[in-house]
Amino acid sequence: MAFQQLDPPLPVHVLDKGPGYAFAVIDYGQEHNLIWVTALDDSGEIWCAPNPVVRVQANWTMGRKRPPAVEAARAKSCGTMPADATQ
């Protein structure tokens, strides 16, 4: 097992939990997902989230748009669909 503190913390979005900052990563080895230790913005809770539910946040300066999974989660919580969504 390896534990790596992130400096600086990374802004991420944990699906079904919300945005926050990942401040550490736990790696249990090749047969496991990375675990992102994340402090959530809205609740202040700290969650250990597996890699498949963690998305990097949008960054206008880097030209990175909000990930589609985050858009879908936001639309679901607001009761609306994003403008570019198709059904």
Side-chain angles (χ1 to χ4, degrees), residues 1-42:
M1 180 193 84
F3 182 91
Q4 180 68 49
Q5 181 177 351
L6 302 175
D7 185 20
L10 297 175
V12 297
H13 186 100
V14 180
L15 298 180
D16 296 327
K17 298 291 181 195
Y21 282 86
F23 58 89
V25 176
I26 302 170
D27 184 353
Y28 286 109
Q30 62 189 18
E31 297 292 328
H32 301 277
N33 289 316
L34 291 174
I35 304 296
W36 295 84
V37 184
T38 305
L40 300 179
D41 292 343
D42 296 338

Side-chain angles (χ1 to χ4, degrees), residues 65-76:
K65 297 181 179 181
R66 189 176 290 137
V70 175
E71 278 292 335
R74 288 173 55 98
K76 182 177 163 184

Side-chain angles (χ1 to χ4, degrees), residues 45-71:
E45 295 173 316
I46 295 175
W47 281 89
C48 292
N51 205 54
V53 299
V54 178
R55 303 292 187 270
V56 68
Q57 287 188 14
N59 185 322
W60 180 82
T61 304
M62 299 292 292
R64 186 173 54 238
K65 297 181 179 181
R66 189 176 290 137
V70 175
E71 278 292 335

